[in-house]
Amino acid sequence: MPGFLGIISNERKNFPENFNLINKSVTSRRENIEIVGNCWFQRSITENFLKDKIFKNDHDFFCCTDGIFLNASKLIKENRADDLFGLIKFLYNQNKLEFPLQFRGDFSGVIYDKKQESWLIFNNHIGSKPVFYFYDENKKIFIFGCEFKMVLNGLKAIGIIPTLNEIGAYFLLTFGYMIGDETLVKEIKKLPPGSILKYQNGKININQYYKLNNTPYIEAQDEEIIEELHKRFSEAIEAEYGKDSEYGYNHIATLSGGLDSRQNVCYAKKLGISNLLTICFSQSNYLDEQISKKIASDWNYNYLFSSLDNGNYLKDIDTHVLVNDGLCFYAGAAHVYSMLRFINWTSFGLLHTGQIGDLIMGSYLEKPMHQDINEFTIKKVATSTKLMKRIPDEVLLNLNKKYSNNEIFAFYERCINGVFNGYRVIEQFSEYSSPFLYLDFLEYAIRIHPKKRYKEAIYIKWIQEKAPEAKKYIWEKTGFPIGTPGGVIFIFKTLKMIKNKIFGPSKNDSMNPFDYWYKYNPELRIIFEEYFNKHISLLDNYPQLKKDVNYLFQEGNTIEKTQVLTLLAAIKLHNLK
């Protein structure tokens, strides 16, 4: 995956002489290798958004960034800076531990203050652009990078043998992703979202400059709230699609049968966005294809569909795990990668999505109020609960202490460690965005009182009043247009559930009916079983974990099998002992 890697040591013998971090799946890239101060530094980037991906030195300052800064041009003009490098330097000198607060976008970066001989590694407010690191206080070696495998390669390059983190393995087998700052390797941690890590005089210090809160509540009248949602969402759309226009790129956006991607594309149309290619991936003839195709046609947008039929894209286990380092179960984003790799990205900018709009607008609320974190709320964000007993009690207790309520917990763990990690497959080709994650929208929307967001009530009302052209289409979640009485939807879902119990899984169950594919595609079953049998011995040194992995693969559903295969593939990929 594109990104940067640094190895800081006072001993040059720790600097690799011939070391390549480049992920072989990246075909379009620019590369820099340089020694800055006491740091061996390398980066690799795709050709997109090059002005936002700086790599620059002057007499007292070095800076490297990855990702996109949506408001860079605006801030450069307001602060009379020459370019992004000059802007970051100016903002850093104003406030060294909170300078990223002013930016919007999906970014991470590195600063070396030559006067203070200090390194600062930072990520964006919500950690959608992660940073990983290793620190040996005794040897005064610090390794950092924006890809897990880069840091892992750094360890190996200086002779450190990485070891499997069993708790990380169980996180993968239960939640389907990591929790907190844990990874699959004991020696490597992840920088918390909205943080700056400072390394100076052989010591590290982490300052969290931003933390999302869903209180105090916004309890204004619905009309006022809807006007504010409309205003902020429009600003987000303008910023994100405007970034494409800044570089002269064409627009590309995901479009499904859900509300989130629909709202994104609808507002793009409202604001005069043209030359938009909409893309969809699902089981053929499922609602996602039917609805998205109809919307694209009615709104005069180009449309590209990728069939997921038979689940054949799941066969290439190693490639999909390579793309996300095995930190998230590979089936979660394999369908995205399987389509994106066939697109020529030369003329396209951001992949515009409706990512996690549902959570922000209330889908994770079980009641019209926030709740403390308990066993139920923890299991709700887990992909599998069969091995939940293997998660130490202190881990679950710490989650309860760390987060103020169930919704913030779901955002910081499931979204940041799960959804965002899965969507990082896009970074093989370009960058991505979601107007729901635009900070000024996110901060407002998630503070709307739960009683108004419960069952997505204010979301639906917002669509009905400000995007009426979108409400007439079926909502994939219910099978009916917005506004259909709840009783009708309940009867429909009950009948569907009874049918599935009688006749088993159907190809029309969802956009990716995993259990149907596994049952009716013998080639997929054979590949899964052969991969498992060939690699289960990798866990011979971990008898209990091996026993649990065997149980989950044999007794679990198809998704749970992919969790197992992700772990085995990751251990193989990273050569963990």
Side-chain angles (χ1 to χ4, degrees):
M1 188 177 291
F4 55 77
L5 171 71
I7 300 176
I8 299 178
S9 174
N10 291 326
E11 299 185 29
R12 290 294 178 99
K13 68 179 182 179
N14 289 319
F15 291 173
E17 295 180 2
N18 183 21
F19 182 56
N20 185 13
L21 62 84
I22 307 301
N23 188 322
K24 65 181 180 181
S25 64
V26 179
T27 56
S28 177
R29 59 181 180 264
R30 291 192 178 190
E31 189 175 350
N32 303 84
I33 300 177
E34 195 166 320
I35 293 178
V36 182
N38 60 344
C39 178
W40 180 95
F41 198 90
Q42 181 178 4
R43 77 149 183 181
S44 171
I45 57 173
T46 60
E47 296 286 349
N48 303 65
F49 300 103
L50 290 178
K51 289 189 299 182
D52 286 55
K53 300 173 182 179
I54 59 177
F55 188 94
K56 193 171 180 180
N57 238 327
D58 67 13
H59 66 285
D60 61 355
F61 196 77
F62 165 78
C63 183
C64 171
T65 60
D66 188 35
I68 51 163
F69 298 80
L70 292 172
N71 60 342
S73 296
K74 177 184 176 184
L75 291 177
I76 288 170
K77 184 177 181 180
E78 289 177 353
N79 292 281
R80 300 180 180 179
D82 293 330
D83 52 20
L84 182 57
F85 176 81
L87 174 65
I88 291 177
K89 184 176 180 180
F90 173 75
L91 295 178
Y92 166 78
N93 285 325
Q94 283 191 323
N95 192 331
K96 290 180 170 56
L97 292 181
E98 293 186 347
F99 68 92
L101 276 173
Q102 296 194 43
F103 289 111
R104 298 292 181 266
D106 186 50
F107 58 84
S108 61
V110 182
I111 286 173
Y112 179 50
D113 186 326
K114 298 179 182 180
K115 291 181 179 178
Q116 294 193 357
E117 295 186 343
S118 64
W119 288 86
L120 287 91
I121 297 90
F122 60 92
N123 55 17
N124 65 328
H125 304 71
I126 56 176
S128 52
K129 207 73 158 174
V131 174
F132 300 91
Y133 67 94
F134 160 82
Y135 173 55
D136 187 324
E137 185 174 8
N138 294 325
K139 296 182 179 180
K140 299 295 186 288
I141 297 176
F142 177 54
I143 303 174
F144 60 88
C146 52
E147 183 191 13
F148 172 74
K149 194 173 189 301
M150 293 179 189
V151 178
L152 190 63
N153 284 342
L155 262 67
K156 295 175 181 178
I158 62 175
I160 296 176
I161 300 175
T163 51
L164 176 67
N165 180 14
E166 286 191 75
I167 186 62
Y170 279 111
F171 285 155
L172 188 58
L173 296 172
T174 51
F175 293 98
Y177 46 86
M178 298 297 107
I179 293 293
D181 65 353
E182 297 289 341
T183 70
L184 285 175
V185 170
K186 288 182 180 179
E187 295 82 3
I188 299 176
K189 300 296 183 184
K190 192 179 84 163
L191 185 66
S195 293
I196 297 176
L197 185 154
K198 182 177 181 180
Y199 181 83
Q200 187 177 32
N201 299 324
K203 297 188 178 297
I204 64 171
N205 180 65
I206 296 175
N207 174 64
Q208 192 168 21
Y209 69 84
Y210 179 83
K211 191 171 183 179
L212 182 68
N213 288 306
N214 52 10
T215 56
Y217 294 141
I218 294 169
E219 299 190 68
Q221 295 296 315
D222 287 359
E223 291 73 18
E224 181 182 337
I225 290 174
I226 289 169
E227 285 297 329
E228 194 66 25
L229 289 172
H230 173 71
K231 173 189 171 186
R232 290 173 183 249
F233 202 78
S234 299
E235 291 173 356
I237 293 291
E238 289 175 347
E240 292 173 358
Y241 285 83
K243 196 67 181 179
D244 293 340
S245 300
E246 179 184 325
Y247 281 85
Y249 292 139
N250 295 325
H251 308 297
I252 182 170
T254 57
L255 183 59
S256 66
L259 299 185
D260 305 336
S261 62
R262 183 186 310 182
Q263 193 75 332
N264 172 32
V265 172
C266 180
Y267 265 76
K269 180 176 175 58
K270 280 178 171 295
L271 295 174
I273 302 298
S274 59
N275 200 17
L276 173 62
L277 171 64
T278 57
I279 63 173
C280 176
F281 23 74
S282 83
Q283 173 76 23
S284 294
N285 298 316
Y286 180 64
L287 285 175
D288 276 308
E289 181 191 6
Q290 296 175 25
I291 299 165
S292 61
K293 185 183 294 183
K294 175 65 173 170
I295 292 173
S297 176
D298 289 352
W299 294 354
N300 198 28
Y301 281 140
N302 294 322
Y303 182 79
L304 187 62
F305 176 74
S306 177
S307 165
L308 303 180
D309 293 6
N310 304 307
N312 287 322
Y313 69 95
L314 295 169
K315 294 177 181 177
D316 195 358
I317 300 166
D318 288 332
T319 295
H320 293 304
V321 172
L322 174 66
V323 169
N324 73 7
D325 290 330
L327 298 180
C328 181
F329 76 107
Y330 85 91
H335 61 294
V336 181
Y337 181 77
S338 69
M339 181 178 190
L340 298 187
R341 63 182 175 174
F342 292 119
I343 297 174
N344 184 342
W345 285 88
T346 306
S347 63
F348 290 111
L350 296 171
L351 179 63
H352 299 276
T353 75
Q355 195 177 125
I356 74 163
D358 59 338
L359 182 145
I360 296 165
M361 299 309 299
S363 68
Y364 271 72
L365 295 170
E366 290 297 321
K367 297 179 180 180
M369 64 187 73
H370 286 129
Q371 298 172 276
D372 292 334
I373 299 168
N374 53 43
E375 183 179 356
F376 175 79
T377 57
I378 289 174
K379 287 183 176 180
K380 181 177 172 63
V381 302
T383 306
S384 171
T385 59
K386 286 185 172 66
L387 296 175
M388 191 62 76
K389 62 183 179 181
R390 298 298 183 200
I391 306 298
D393 291 339
E394 58 266 27
V395 171
L396 304 181
L397 288 173
N398 286 337
L399 290 175
N400 204 355
K401 294 177 182 177
K402 185 177 181 180
Y403 300 109
S404 57
N405 56 61
N406 59 322
E407 191 176 44
I408 289 297
F409 160 67
F411 179 86
Y412 270 94
E413 298 299 350
R414 181 184 179 274
C415 292
I416 291 177
N417 286 325
V419 178
F420 294 168
N421 188 283
Y423 262 79
R424 293 198 72 203
V425 302
I426 299 165
E427 295 172 15
Q428 299 288 337
F429 315 99
S430 185
E431 305 290 337
Y432 70 96
S433 66
S434 168
F436 293 96
L437 293 174
Y438 190 73
L439 194 66
D440 302 273
F441 178 87
L442 171 63
E443 288 182 326
Y444 180 85
I446 206 165
R447 289 199 301 113
I448 297 171
H449 198 289
K451 67 185 179 184
K452 293 181 178 290
R453 289 187 293 124
Y454 181 55
K455 294 187 177 180
E456 294 148 309
I458 197 71
Y459 190 12
I460 292 171
K461 194 170 183 179
W462 168 31
I463 294 172
Q464 290 173 324
E465 293 190 14
K466 294 298 182 179
E469 59 268 55
K471 71 178 183 179
K472 67 178 182 179
Y473 301 99
I474 291 173
W475 182 9
E476 181 271 339
K477 179 178 178 179
T478 66
F480 293 89
I482 293 173
T484 301
V488 174
I489 296 171
F490 176 78
I491 293 171
F492 173 78
K493 287 189 171 183
T494 301
L495 292 174
K496 184 178 179 180
M497 182 177 65
I498 293 172
K499 179 182 176 182
N500 285 349
K501 284 189 175 182
I502 296 174
F503 298 104
S506 164
K507 64 181 180 181
N508 295 318
D509 286 343
S510 71
M511 65 173 282
N512 38 23
F514 294 105
D515 292 334
Y516 175 86
W517 291 337
Y518 194 77
K519 182 177 180 179
Y520 292 103
N521 186 350
E523 291 182 9
L524 184 62
R525 288 200 307 273
I526 290 171
I527 287 176
F528 274 30
E529 291 168 3
E530 287 182 346
Y531 197 98
F532 174 80
N533 292 329
K534 182 178 179 180
H535 296 99
I536 186 62
S537 61
L538 292 172
L539 292 173
D540 284 347
N541 293 331
Y542 302 88
Q544 184 60 60
L545 179 58
K546 182 179 180 181
K547 181 180 178 181
D548 290 335
V549 162
N550 184 71
Y551 162 74
L552 191 60
F553 186 82
Q554 301 300 337
E555 301 298 326
N557 59 29
T558 310
I559 285 292
E560 290 169 324
K561 294 181 195 300
T562 68
Q563 290 176 261
V564 167
L565 297 178
T566 302
L567 176 60
L568 296 179
I571 293 172
K572 170 190 169 185
L573 169 67
H574 303 313
N575 193 25
L576 302 180
K577 305 298 183 182

